Amino acid sequence: MLHKTSTIVLLCAGLLAAGPAAASGNPELGKAKSATCVACHGADGKGIAPTFPVIAGQHADYLILTLKQYRSGERNNAQMAPMAANLSDDDIADLAAYYSQLPGLKTPKP
């Protein structure tokens, strides 16, 4: 019984550590695919102006969900809808893997 429980705990821990997006996206490919993203989100993913969201350091799962929502039209945004329209699931996973591993903004200490 203890052996079976230990195996299940280790399996679950491994799945949580890897995460679905971490296992599926390739950050190097994501960087190569990010050329159009740079126009608004900047080379560092922190946005070129305050009106553009910071995507650097965001959770990959969040980025995947958001891009798929823009692609499907579930999220309506005149700038992002055409950008996401032709992205494949692999493109989205790669972009999410790339941007999620970039350093995000730091919250200043009071």
Side-chain angles (χ1 to χ4, degrees), residues 59-95:
H59 295 279
D61 289 339
Y62 170 77
L63 294 170
I64 289 170
L65 175 65
T66 303
L67 285 170
K68 286 183 176 182
Q69 288 174 331
Y70 286 131
R71 183 180 66 186
S72 73
E74 184 179 343
R75 264 190 186 203
N76 187 12
N77 181 284
Q79 294 169 328
M80 282 303 300
M83 296 294 125
N86 294 317
L87 294 175
S88 69
D89 286 348
D90 287 340
D91 294 335
I92 289 173
D94 293 340
L95 288 165

Side-chain angles (χ1 to χ4, degrees), residues 26-34 94-95 98:
N26 181 321
E28 290 81 25
L29 290 176
K31 182 176 183 177
K33 295 174 182 181
S34 71
D94 293 340
L95 288 165
Y98 171 63

